[in-house]
Amino acid sequence: MTMSALGEPCVLLKLGEVVLKGRNRELFEMRLRANIKAALKDYPVDIRQRHGVIALFLPAGTGVEVAEAVARRVSEVPGLVLIHLAWRVPKDPESVTKAALELVRDTDEVARKARFAVRSRRRDKRFPLRSIELDRLVGGAINDTYGLPVDLSDPELRVNIEVDRDEVFLFTDGRPGQGGLPVGSSGRALALLSGGIDSPVAAYRMMRRGLRVDFLHFSGIPYTTSESIYKAYALVRNLDRFQGKSRLWVVPFGKAQQSIRNSGHDRLAVIAQRRLMLKTAEEVARRIHAEALVTGDSLGQVSSQTLTNITAQDHAVDLPILRPLIGLDKTEIMAEARRIGTLEISELPDEDCCTVLAPRSAETRAKIEDLKQIEKRLDAEDLASQLADSIRPYKLDA
């Protein structure tokens, strides 16, 4: 690519749901810009917002490789729907046309004689050509130079031109963003993170709804090894790229599990230990000022995840329990885990605290009164407080 014709590389970010927020929109946009700045702390970018588009300007002379790295990194920030590697060119029709020809020249579409269209948007009405006139000028030059056929209804190649206040932006296709809302715009939640496939996806989904998510992992220590902790740590490291500054705590839960198993209600052990986990998580959430708990429950996915049992779990705590996967099947959850990069980690072998001491068969219609009797013998409220006292923080590497 000829830098003199294409000008300087930059990155354009298109907002999604944020633009629908009415009077609160400015607060969401401020949070989004702060998240972008934090994600790009290693890059010297100038962040500017105009008309629902955020432009990331790089220092003069920056190579396209750096711009591409910025685009990849910011594509992981929730709240954005499209990320375009763009080029800034002077605001005159001749410069725009030359840059568009240069932009198209090395694309695969030229070799394939692909159908194309030019889409212009004139934000600055002082520009001498209207949008349709600019489309015709640039489109005609591309057609004459490369012989590409025009297709305005279903083009294979789109050349986008946006005339802004100080410059013109040119770009072709973009990479998809995460969508959703900026992390931190909806509050804070605590996710119960196992080493499995579901809970990381549930945490990610709540990040996309604007929640800042902290993580609580229950280890079977001393009856299991530390493998599940390593997996939890790896999962949080992976998920951290969507929000930054993630926090992980680990609860040594093995002895509490054994006490539940020794209570004499083998079929209720799964639900009883789940309620104790929630009670412990609620106590931790209170200490870190989280407003909700997040779990990876999916209705009917395993025998214990019946509506009756889920209701019995809700009854254990006062905080709301968010279950973003409740209506998804395993195939859908695995597809999302694969997309966000957690599936490979989740499939690593480990000794999970929820399975090592699990009974051969679990109750599918647990009665709350029976569970309360178990908790009374265990003094569950006090035990949950003790477990919360025993949590160990795990810092992510910078």
Side-chain angles (χ1 to χ4, degrees), residues 145-164:
T145 303
Y146 302 116
L148 301 187
V150 176
D151 185 344
L152 300 181
S153 59
D154 186 26
E156 298 171 90
L157 171 66
R158 284 185 174 85
V159 178
N160 299 285
I161 304 171
E162 296 190 358
V163 181
D164 214 88

Side-chain angles (χ1 to χ4, degrees), residues 193-205 207 215 231-242 325 332-348:
L193 183 73
S194 70
I197 295 171
D198 302 341
S199 56
V201 176
Y204 164 76
R205 287 208 158 197
M207 290 178 193
F215 300 89
K231 280 184 67 175
Y233 182 88
L235 287 167
V236 174
R237 279 293 304 273
N238 183 289
L239 292 168
D240 185 63
R241 71 187 198 274
F242 299 114
L325 310 185
E332 294 169 313
I333 297 169
M334 289 179 68
E336 182 123 323
R338 185 177 293 109
R339 184 183 69 79
I340 65 175
T342 59
L343 181 62
E344 187 175 349
I345 301 171
S346 295
E347 289 182 331
L348 293 172

Side-chain angles (χ1 to χ4, degrees), residues 329-391:
D329 63 33
K330 197 66 175 184
T331 302
E332 294 169 313
I333 297 169
M334 289 179 68
E336 182 123 323
R338 185 177 293 109
R339 184 183 69 79
I340 65 175
T342 59
L343 181 62
E344 187 175 349
I345 301 171
S346 295
E347 289 182 331
L348 293 172
D350 73 307
E351 291 184 292
D352 188 284
C353 77
C354 294
T355 57
V356 171
L357 297 177
R360 292 182 179 179
S361 61
E363 179 61 62
T364 59
R365 299 183 62 83
K367 296 180 180 179
I368 293 174
E369 288 305 316
D370 293 338
L371 292 165
K372 284 184 174 181
Q373 288 300 316
I374 297 174
E375 291 169 352
K376 185 177 180 180
R377 286 195 292 272
L378 294 174
D379 197 0
E381 300 297 333
D382 186 58
L383 181 55
S385 181
Q386 292 176 28
L387 288 168
D389 289 338
S390 71
I391 62 173

Side-chain angles (χ1 to χ4, degrees), residues 289-344:
H289 307 292
E291 302 162 89
L293 304 178
V294 178
T295 75
D297 294 329
S298 173
L299 187 62
Q301 187 181 122
V302 296
S303 60
S304 63
Q305 289 182 349
T306 63
L307 185 58
T308 300
N309 287 355
I310 288 173
T311 302
Q313 292 175 41
D314 285 338
H315 191 272
V317 295
D318 294 325
L319 278 182
I321 303 174
L322 307 179
R323 297 182 172 93
L325 310 185
I326 195 70
L328 301 186
D329 63 33
K330 197 66 175 184
T331 302
E332 294 169 313
I333 297 169
M334 289 179 68
E336 182 123 323
R338 185 177 293 109
R339 184 183 69 79
I340 65 175
T342 59
L343 181 62
E344 187 175 349

Side-chain angles (χ1 to χ4, degrees), residues 10-51:
C10 62
V11 179
L12 294 185
L13 312 177
K14 300 300 179 71
L15 283 58
E17 191 177 344
V18 170
V19 302
L20 305 176
K21 291 302 176 184
R23 294 180 181 178
N24 293 326
R25 176 174 169 176
E26 185 176 353
L27 296 175
F28 284 87
E29 291 179 343
M30 287 175 59
R31 173 63 64 179
L32 179 57
R33 290 193 298 271
N35 292 350
I36 292 169
K37 182 178 180 180
L40 298 177
K41 63 182 185 299
D42 296 328
Y43 297 94
V45 298
D46 179 15
I47 303 174
R48 305 179 196 173
Q49 183 167 350
R50 302 169 185 167
H51 307 289

